[in-house]
Amino acid sequence: MDSKLGAYNIHDLRDMARRNLPRGVFEFVDRGTEDDNAVANNRAALERIRFRPRTLVDVSKRDLSITLFGKKQPMPFCVGPTGTAGLLWYGGELGVARAAAKAGIPFTVAVNSMTSMETIAEQAGGTLWFQLYLWSDRNYSYQIVERAKKVGFEALILTVDGAVPSNREYNHRNGFEVPIQFNTRNVTDVLSRPRWLASVFLRQLVTSGMPRFENYPPEVMDGLMSRTWKKTILKNDGMNWDDLRKLRELWPRTLMVKGVLSPQDAVKAAECGADAVIVSNHGGRNLDYSVAPIDALPGVVEAAGKRLTVIMDSGLRRGSDVVKALALGARAAFIGRAPLYGVAAHGEAGAARAIEIFREEISRVMALLGVNSVAELDRRCLQLPEMK
Ligand SMILES: Cc1cc2nc3c(=O)[nH]c(=O)nc-3n(C[C@H](O)[C@H](O)[C@H](O)COP(=O)(O)O)c2cc1C
């Protein structure tokens, strides 16, 4: 296999992931919620933006690096929290984390990760951030915060766009829900991907048992198969701004709020002491028909961009998408599904390929735009559709 792994873009990695994974697993990664409108609209909104290139600029020394929270990184994007890579490839989460570390970009460990935060920190290294959901029993969440502090995570990300679980009907249909219960549909599905069954699922089962949420405290942690699954603990519909203030007291390092789409919320996050907001609709996975983050971004930057760092994600599949976000004022972008497609296609090498594709594409787009540094990217590089 060549160094490109037969993948010229993220779409190729997605196709490979689809071929490797049982349908239930692939759809869990790939799809959104309800009518999948937000997923499609995230793309449509990015695709409506055009570039206005400048020519005869010497771009031979262009530089993709940025400084984020005082630390230089060679590329203007980070790996966002997803926590399912372990279901896509054996040791998949470590694979993605290592690929990010080798590329010099931050990797976010999700609280719902199937590899523990300690293992990832020990075995992958690099710049590591931790993502948290606040549970109804805050003390369990605070225990996790303490652990993340001890492990040395450089940033904590509180995800705020999931007050209640989203309505992912395909997961019900595919029998892909926690706790997993076997039925004809999901058994047939899994048997249709014998390589995945043997090299991912059974291997995981034999080496460390049923996949579990390894960051959960023992009282909460339970096998995905368990019928005693304590779902009520995972509820977070009582979360509010006081929780963010409290977290600010507990967490001494960089604190980010993920899932903000309104300028007012970004200002409030700044008032509560957050260092950054991530303008995101969770990749279209939570509230269907929510506005595309790329459309919400300019308003957030205008309202709060001087008070905190603004990052954006959702729908980024090309380097050109990242460049558009940066030109609209994001200081960096997160990629979510792209490295998951990569790891499902070829393990760590596939995740590394996804990162490399973004690097190559961003560099090429900057050159063709006549831009030498990320700081030079601004609205003059873009032709925007009529904003509502
Ligand atoms: C399979 C999967 C699992 C995810 N799990 C989490 C999570 O546990 N916490 C979180 O804040 N975001 C989670 N996300 C959302 C991502 O962090 C990110 O916002 C989103 O994937 C960005 O959109 P993109 O996938 O189009 O790049 C998940 C996304 C996917 C695809």
Side-chain angles (χ1 to χ4, degrees):
M1 185 76 66
D2 63 28
S3 64
K4 293 190 174 7
L5 306 174
Y8 296 101
N9 56 37
I10 300 299
H11 306 298
D12 290 341
L13 291 173
R14 176 176 180 267
D15 287 342
M16 292 172 190
R18 194 211 300 267
R19 286 197 293 274
N20 284 355
L21 299 172
R23 179 191 174 127
V25 179
F26 178 75
E27 291 201 342
F28 172 73
V29 170
D30 192 63
R31 291 191 61 180
T33 181
E34 294 189 346
D35 303 329
D36 281 335
N37 175 278
V39 171
N41 187 51
N42 286 347
R43 290 296 316 146
L46 284 157
E47 287 166 12
R48 280 194 292 268
I49 300 172
R50 301 281 182 267
F51 289 122
R52 292 177 180 277
R54 299 298 302 270
T55 54
L56 293 175
V57 180
D58 175 358
V59 287
S60 57
K61 296 190 184 66
R62 59 196 181 280
D63 175 8
L64 275 61
S65 70
I66 57 166
T67 300
L68 204 53
F69 310 117
K71 206 168 167 183
K72 197 166 173 186
Q73 59 180 76
M75 292 169 237
F77 60 93
C78 319
V79 177
T82 55
T84 15
L87 278 182
L88 313 183
W89 192 271
Y90 180 75
E93 272 152 9
L94 270 175
V96 181
R98 284 192 181 121
K102 285 178 190 159
I105 62 172
F107 173 82
T108 312
V109 178
V111 64
N112 287 351
S113 155
M114 282 155 196
T115 312
S116 76
M117 59 173 108
E118 288 83 3
T119 304
I120 293 179
E122 264 166 43
Q123 297 188 24
T127 300
L128 290 174
W129 297 345
F130 190 82
Q131 176 268 331
L132 186 75
Y133 285 118
L134 269 189
W135 295 328
S136 57
D137 187 334
R138 301 289 191 268
N139 289 325
Y140 285 132
S141 301
Y142 298 154
Q143 278 178 32
I144 295 184
V145 172
E146 280 310 309
R147 239 172 101 189
K149 210 192 292 180
K150 215 166 106 202
V151 173
F153 283 90
E154 294 177 32
L156 183 70
I157 299 179
L158 177 66
T159 300
V160 296
D161 58 9
V164 293
S166 75
N167 186 20
R168 299 182 189 156
E169 293 150 7
Y170 53 90
N171 283 345
H172 298 282
R173 277 197 202 96
N174 292 331
F176 195 76
E177 289 174 294
V178 178
I180 289 175
Q181 286 170 22
F182 292 119
N183 58 32
T184 325
R185 184 161 174 154
N186 61 20
V187 169
T188 317
D189 182 16
V190 163
L191 291 177
S192 74
R193 292 291 185 277
R195 207 176 65 149
W196 177 87
L197 177 64
S199 68
V200 182
F201 191 71
L202 292 177
R203 189 166 168 202
Q204 156 78 28
L205 210 59
V206 168
T207 52
S208 26
M210 241 353 236
R212 299 188 306 174
F213 295 130
E214 295 288 349
N215 292 315
Y216 286 18
E219 301 92 314
V220 185
M221 186 155 58
D222 217 330
L224 286 182
M225 298 284 282
S226 165
R227 282 166 201 270
T228 58
W229 182 251
K230 302 175 186 87
K231 263 188 173 161
T232 48
I233 270 179
L234 306 185
K235 253 173 50 129
N236 67 359
D237 60 356
M239 187 166 67
N240 60 62
W241 293 106
D242 287 337
D243 286 306
L244 183 60
R245 286 188 198 97
K246 167 86 179 164
L247 217 51
R248 179 66 291 178
E249 284 167 24
L250 295 177
W251 183 259
R253 303 175 205 135
T254 303
L255 178 65
M256 304 184 223
V257 181
K258 176 171 179 283
V260 166
L261 288 168
S262 104
Q264 294 88 331
D265 284 354
V267 170
K268 272 202 118 154
E271 284 166 4
C272 293
D275 301 296
V277 287
I278 296 137
V279 181
S280 167
N281 66 5
H282 219 99
R285 294 166 69 79
N286 281 357
L287 175 63
D288 206 14
Y289 298 96
S290 56
V291 293
I294 194 76
D295 287 340
L297 178 64
V300 170
V301 170
E302 197 182 316
K306 290 201 172 69
R307 301 178 65 176
L308 41 63
T309 299
V310 179
I311 297 173
M312 197 210 95
D313 78 12
S314 298
L316 308 177
R317 300 289 179 274
R318 286 279 185 188
S320 56
D321 300 330
V322 174
V323 169
K324 288 171 184 177
L326 298 170
L328 285 175
R331 296 283 305 280
F334 272 13
I335 50 172
R337 290 182 185 83
L340 293 182
Y341 296 143
V343 80
H346 285 288
E348 179 183 334
R353 179 71 190 128
I355 293 169
E356 177 59 13
I357 287 170
F358 273 100
R359 193 195 63 74
E360 287 168 359
E361 290 182 350
I362 293 169
S363 174
R364 189 179 307 110
V365 170
M366 282 173 58
L368 294 172
L369 271 177
V371 159
N372 274 301
S373 69
V374 171
E376 285 172 47
L377 291 169
D378 62 23
R379 276 185 189 223
R380 285 170 297 186
C381 304
L382 305 179
Q383 177 180 290
L384 298 175
E386 295 269 310
M387 292 268 189
K388 290 181 195 83

